[in-house]
Amino acid sequence: MGQTASREPASRAALVEGVVIENRGALFEVHVDGHPVICLLRGKLKKDKQRQVAPVAAGDRVRLALLEPGRGVIEEVLPRTTDLSRRAAGSVPLQQTLAANVDHAVIVFAVAEPRCDRYMLDRFLVAAGAGGLESTICFNKCDLLPPEARGPHFGLYSEIGFRALYTSAYTGEGLEELRAAMTDRRSVICGPSGVGKSSLLNALATGLALRTADVGHVTHKGRHTTSSISLLPLPFGGWVADTPGLRQLSSDGLTHAEVMDAFPDLEPYAGQCAFSNCSHRHETGCGVLAAAAAGKIHPRRMKSYVQIRGGVR
Ligand code: GDP
Ligand code: ZN
């Protein structure tokens, strides 16, 4: 080992740091100071395969050895701050990391066409919070709703304390605020199809969604299905991950506390429950149910809570 001058420096060379932009099967595209480097993975890093489908994911910060210009080997994966994962199909203990170190979820719903499914919105808020992500809600296609109808339909979310924007990819309304919310952050854009996610990305930066269109391909590897995920650099600073796989954040395996975190409107009444382990769904002496009955909690939110909480084991 190490007989040739060209091999030895590869393992001993000073390592440089980069961000994984995309996982392409055995190869990874890593950006180092804005320049792409195509990397292989050092063998020892593959050992984790028993537990994770991909030991390295888009968004991971890695240290790599440069072999030649544009080519390298990933030697080390730096600790993740967040981890968006989903269960790999067909196998319960396997977690598949879809994107690492994402810190912000842009949750897009349309005010109309398609009608906003608030239960689904609430599920996204729970999943994003549980994944350690801050959320920005975009009520998109706001051009389809007269301004005076906004508050009665959607004002609830900002009243509760979520950041909620009215946006229109058509008129440009709200895009400055959205751009500001995404600047210098690593965001994932999610929401049902047809709400205008691609249109919003294109309105923020021309050509962005065009690029997102061809990264959604699916590869089949054994019994696992892996979506290729790519981070897209934003011209105003930061990154956005946009893939069909991430558009549906999973709310599998949630804890009671994680669900409650996304319901700050129920929280003030939880202290008034007769039982400290109250699930606020059917118990007698429940302060939250009493508040809901007294009209202090929006019925839709209460319904979402009961449904989401019902899925928690
Ligand atoms: P995606 O599936 O979430 O990426 O949605 P698209 O960006 O493909 O948009 C779905 C449809 O909604 C397209 O026909 C768009 O032209 C339309 N659309 C997108 N944004 C807006 C908007 O702000 N206002 C209106 N009226 N239509 C929009
Ligand atoms: Zn209760």
Side-chain angles (χ1 to χ4, degrees):
M1 143 180 178
Q3 291 111 319
T4 64
S6 64
R7 272 165 200 266
E8 175 135 296
S11 53
R12 304 232 175 126
L15 300 181
V16 296
E17 203 177 306
V19 174
V20 177
I21 299 305
E22 191 176 357
N23 177 351
R24 302 185 202 145
L27 294 176
F28 297 85
E29 180 174 340
V30 181
H31 275 205
V32 178
D33 294 329
H35 299 288
V37 180
I38 303 302
C39 292
L40 282 162
L41 202 56
R42 180 62 70 207
K44 65 180 185 211
L45 295 177
K46 295 179 190 162
K47 277 194 206 130
D48 250 3
K49 268 203 166 148
Q50 296 310 310
R51 276 175 285 123
Q52 291 178 322
V53 175
V56 180
D60 265 321
R61 289 185 308 125
V62 295
R63 283 154 62 75
L64 57 98
L66 284 171
L67 300 181
E68 56 184 273
R71 301 258 152 200
V73 178
I74 296 174
E75 299 282 351
E76 189 186 345
V77 183
L78 299 173
R80 289 173 181 161
T81 53
T82 64
D83 190 332
L84 283 182
S85 53
R86 73 164 169 225
R87 290 221 166 104
S91 47
V92 178
L94 279 171
Q95 285 285 331
Q96 179 186 14
T97 294
L98 296 169
N101 302 319
V102 168
D103 61 2
H104 180 218
V106 176
I107 302 176
V108 185
F109 277 79
V111 299
E113 299 176 27
R115 200 171 57 85
C116 175
D117 178 340
R118 275 157 241 238
Y119 169 59
M120 204 195 285
L121 168 56
D122 291 334
R123 283 181 63 102
F124 272 112
L125 289 169
V126 172
L133 277 61
E134 245 182 68
S135 294
T136 298
I137 306 169
C138 287
F139 290 116
N140 192 41
K141 307 197 188 185
C142 70
D143 54 282
L144 296 178
L145 193 70
E148 63 276 13
R150 291 176 183 178
H153 280 96
F154 305 104
L156 169 69
Y157 286 90
S158 45
E159 281 162 31
I160 297 169
F162 290 104
R163 174 161 49 195
L165 307 174
Y166 294 103
T167 59
S168 170
Y170 280 13
T171 67
E173 186 177 344
L175 294 188
E176 264 323 304
E177 289 96 323
L178 180 58
R179 188 177 290 122
M182 294 174 77
T183 299
D184 293 332
R185 306 192 72 177
R186 255 184 237 182
S187 306
V188 57
I189 189 159
C190 45
S193 72
V195 296
K197 295 179 298 295
S198 312
S199 307
L200 278 177
L201 289 179
N202 267 334
L204 287 173
T206 316
L208 201 57
L210 223 67
R211 293 180 53 194
T212 71
D214 42 74
V215 300
H217 65 267
V218 170
T219 57
H220 296 278
K221 271 188 168 183
R223 62 203 167 110
H224 306 301
T225 305
T226 321
S227 302
S228 166
I229 290 177
S230 185
L231 290 189
L232 303 159
L234 295 167
F236 43 86
W239 306 84
V240 63
D242 172 35
T243 75
L246 283 179
R247 287 179 172 194
Q248 313 279 328
L249 292 178
S250 158
S251 51
D252 285 355
L254 292 170
T255 67
H256 303 298
E258 284 167 342
V259 177
M260 208 55 195
D261 277 350
F263 286 89
D265 39 342
L266 273 60
E267 231 285 317
Y269 309 105
Q272 298 162 18
C273 301
F275 305 104
S276 61
N277 64 347
C278 186
S279 79
H280 322 308
R281 289 165 63 211
H282 42 62
E283 291 86 347
T284 43
C286 172
V288 173
L289 289 171
K296 293 177 188 162
I297 296 169
H298 198 290
R300 281 180 190 277
R301 289 279 295 170
M302 198 59 215
K303 204 171 154 209
S304 284
Y305 170 80
V306 168
Q307 269 179 279
I308 296 170
R309 182 67 198 254
V312 174
R313 267 157 281 154

